[in-house]
Structure formats: structure tokens, C-alpha cells
Amino acid sequence: TLGILHLDNSVVYQKSSKESVVPVPEVSLYHNLYLQSKAFNKVLAFQIGADVRYHTTYYVPSYMPATGQFYNQDLMESGNYPMVNVYANLHLKNMRFYMMAYHVNSSVGSADYFIQPHYPMNPFHFKFGLGWNFND
């Protein structure tokens, strides 16, 4: 934290002793850079930022819908692709409002972004919501 600038990081290094039994990415990263403060006489709290998720390539377990189970496969690797989200959270007294641009980098670079074999990540879309607390 540096004033209103915040940076949250998570770095995971892992190594499976038998990749054919338990496949895992060697490195997984999560970074969240945001501004957090209060405005308008400290009535409106806001948080505006972006987060990035990334992991190295590995053979992700595939999914079999007929049995509802995952199984190990060695035909298609997944990973080595960052996913970037941009967001804003606002809190005004009893009301909360959020906006999020999900997967903003989907049109940049390769369109080969898969969570699992044959299951692509969702493309860019915009989310928003409103929450209101009613007090008695």
C-alpha cells in the first residue's frame, strides 16, 4: 500500500512428483492493482483497478459431461495466457454498486485461450450490479 494505491499479489510455485497422476501448473500468479479511497466528504468509498491471472502451461484435466467427472489427458496443454479484468466498486451509505469489464484482453493476441480442452474462456463482457441494504 502506498497512499491510495494498493497492490495485492499471489505467487504460487508447485511441482507434482507425478505429472501423469496430478497435473498442476508450475507457476500461478494473481496480481491486483487498484486505487482505494473515499470522496465527497468521505461519504462515497470507491475502489478502481485491474487484476491479472496467469499460469504456466500444463495438461489440464479434461471433463466428461456424460459421467460428470474429470480425467487426465495428455493431448492438449492449457495456460501461458494472462486474463485481465478491469473493475470499479462504489459504496455510498447503504448502497453498493459495481462494474466489471471481464477478460478485456480477449481480442489482443491469440484467440487460443482455453480453461480446459474444448472449453474456451468466456470472451469480453461487461458486468454490473447494485446492492441495497434495508435497515429497520
Side-chain angles (χ1 to χ4, degrees), residues 86-99:
V86 178
Y87 64 89
N89 296 315
L90 306 169
H91 188 205
L92 177 65
K93 294 189 179 186
N94 291 337
M95 185 181 78
R96 293 177 320 278
F97 183 75
Y98 77 90
M99 297 173 284

Side-chain angles (χ1 to χ4, degrees), residues 13-105:
Y13 175 79
Q14 55 193 356
K15 190 72 174 163
S16 177
S17 58
K18 279 202 162 192
E19 287 287 327
S20 62
V21 177
V22 181
V24 293
E26 194 166 335
V27 177
S28 295
L29 306 172
Y30 172 74
H31 303 291
N32 188 9
L33 179 65
Y34 58 97
L35 299 173
Q36 180 174 321
S37 187
K38 292 187 177 186
F40 303 112
N41 293 329
K42 299 190 179 191
V43 174
L44 176 69
F46 67 89
Q47 190 179 60
I48 300 170
D51 63 33
V52 178
R53 290 170 170 80
Y54 172 85
H55 63 80
T56 54
T57 58
Y58 72 109
Y59 290 107
V60 180
S62 193
Y63 181 70
M64 174 58 71
T67 60
Q69 295 182 341
F70 292 91
Y71 64 94
N72 289 342
Q73 56 87 25
D74 61 356
L75 300 175
M76 183 178 176
E77 286 187 312
S78 179
N80 198 26
Y81 180 82
M83 187 177 76
V84 181
N85 302 319
V86 178
Y87 64 89
N89 296 315
L90 306 169
H91 188 205
L92 177 65
K93 294 189 179 186
N94 291 337
M95 185 181 78
R96 293 177 320 278
F97 183 75
Y98 77 90
M99 297 173 284
M100 181 172 154
Y102 176 86
H103 200 178
V104 295
N105 61 322

